[in-house]
Amino acid sequence: TRRTNTRLLALASRPPLLHRIESMVHVSLRSHGAPLTLGFLNGEWHRVDPAEGHPPRPRFVKQPLSSDAPWPAGVTSISLTFHREQEQWCATSDDGQHVFLRAQSRAFHPNTVDSIAWRLCTATGESGSPEQQVPGFGFAVEGPNTEAEPFQVEELGLDYFLRKGKNRTVVWFQDPDTKEVFHSAAKGIEGSTHSARLLPGKRWCPNCRKSISANNFQHQHLRSCAGEFSTPSGEQVAAAWKELREQVATPTDSWRRCVAGANAANVDVAGAKFASLGAGA
């Protein structure tokens, strides 16, 4: 239709997101919760490449520090990268011979991968090493988080507000296109003397490429916007769970096939939770 064609043309004409590593020096990505035997996985990871691909996902590297737990012999760095064919985040040694952790998730950033999706090797990363979910392990972005020094959206993960929408933490961020700064609270911040803080907040939608009212974002906007993260129908969800129950052996793959094109955020979380239940679910 004419309306659909107009929308597609508008989306195609928008400029690409800027990926400026130099603007991220005040922000760090840190992992936490790895057991003592894999304690070297805890700590700070450095972003080394601009985000690439569609949607863009950055790459991070961790190198030994004097404060780290002992590293495996011969490993001088670990690279955390998204593998598109397998649809998973994976941390491997610099020579590619060791795999230390992975997560079956299409999240745009390690910060937006649901913690339940991470699997850590229980040995030293050799091929065939067993993997396990470690409660409490995950990644988090740290920074000033102020109006004067807000996060860039890509520092949080372009899908941050889609996957972490129910997180009550108030985030200050800069709109990638307009460069305006917003907080993410649904209501104004009480007691503030600054006009920007008194106003209701906004949240970035990567489908629409704009900041949307935080008050309407979770329950209204996501149901109407078209894109990878549009809300699946009740029929899709029911059908997906039915197939999962029939094919427990590969729940994550089954879930993806069943609701392809539906809400990837819900897919990853629900699929991972189902997998964690095992055959007794």
Side-chain angles (χ1 to χ4, degrees):
T1 65
R2 180 177 299 177
R3 180 177 297 179
T4 300
N5 291 336
T6 301
R7 176 179 173 79
L8 292 174
L9 288 172
L11 289 172
S13 64
R14 289 174 177 170
L17 289 174
L18 299 177
H19 303 287
R20 300 168 296 169
I21 297 178
E22 64 272 13
S23 71
M24 303 177 188
V25 294
H26 66 291
V27 172
S28 63
L29 176 70
R30 301 186 68 86
S31 53
H32 54 84
L36 184 61
T37 53
L38 294 169
F40 58 91
L41 293 176
N42 293 325
E44 186 170 1
W45 297 70
H46 298 278
R47 181 169 170 170
V48 294
D49 291 326
E52 298 178 345
H54 180 75
R57 293 175 175 90
R59 183 170 73 92
F60 295 87
V61 166
K62 191 178 191 304
Q63 295 177 315
L65 297 175
S66 58
S67 58
D68 284 352
W71 278 53
V75 177
T76 59
S77 68
I78 300 175
S79 177
L80 180 61
T81 308
F82 181 75
H83 296 266
R84 295 183 183 279
E85 291 186 2
Q86 293 81 22
E87 292 191 341
Q88 66 178 1
W89 286 90
C90 196
T92 58
S93 58
D94 46 1
D95 59 6
Q97 299 301 306
H98 304 267
V99 178
F100 297 104
L101 69 149
R102 71 177 80 238
Q104 196 72 38
S105 172
R106 292 191 292 171
F108 295 174
H109 193 285
N111 184 48
T112 60
V113 174
D114 194 277
S115 60
I116 201 173
W118 291 107
R119 297 291 184 271
L120 280 68
C121 290
T122 55
T124 55
E126 288 86 355
S127 177
S129 296
E131 299 176 357
Q132 66 176 1
Q133 181 200 351
V134 177
F137 179 82
F139 287 84
V141 170
E142 299 177 356
N145 191 23
T146 63
E147 185 177 7
E149 293 184 279
F151 287 107
Q152 303 292 324
V153 173
E154 61 177 325
E155 293 172 332
L156 297 168
L158 295 176
D159 55 348
Y160 177 81
F161 295 113
L162 299 171
R163 293 180 182 271
K164 306 268 187 172
K166 295 183 179 181
N167 190 330
R168 293 183 177 276
T169 301
V170 176
V171 172
W172 285 95
F173 70 97
Q174 184 181 57
D175 185 295
D177 291 337
T178 68
K179 310 307 177 188
E180 293 180 89
V181 174
F182 302 107
H183 66 76
S184 63
K187 299 179 180 179
I189 303 176
E190 295 183 6
S192 174
T193 58
H194 196 287
S195 58
R197 300 178 189 176
L198 290 171
L199 296 173
K202 295 191 176 185
R203 299 178 185 181
W204 170 258
C205 176
N207 290 333
C208 303
R209 285 287 304 274
K210 62 182 181 181
S211 296
I212 307 296
S213 169
N215 193 40
N216 301 324
F217 187 83
Q218 196 70 25
H219 299 292
Q220 296 182 29
H221 177 71
L222 292 185
R223 293 181 180 276
S224 60
C225 74
E228 182 178 4
F229 288 91
S230 54
T231 304
S233 68
E235 290 78 10
Q236 286 177 304
V237 173
W241 278 110
K242 183 177 183 294
E243 185 175 341
L244 280 178
R245 294 188 183 96
E246 294 172 350
Q247 300 183 27
V248 176
T250 55
T252 303
D253 292 339
S254 176
W255 173 271
R256 292 186 189 287
R257 289 196 306 273
C258 191
V259 291
N263 188 335
N266 289 346
V267 168
D268 288 333
V269 174
K273 286 182 178 178
F274 189 88
S276 71
L277 295 176

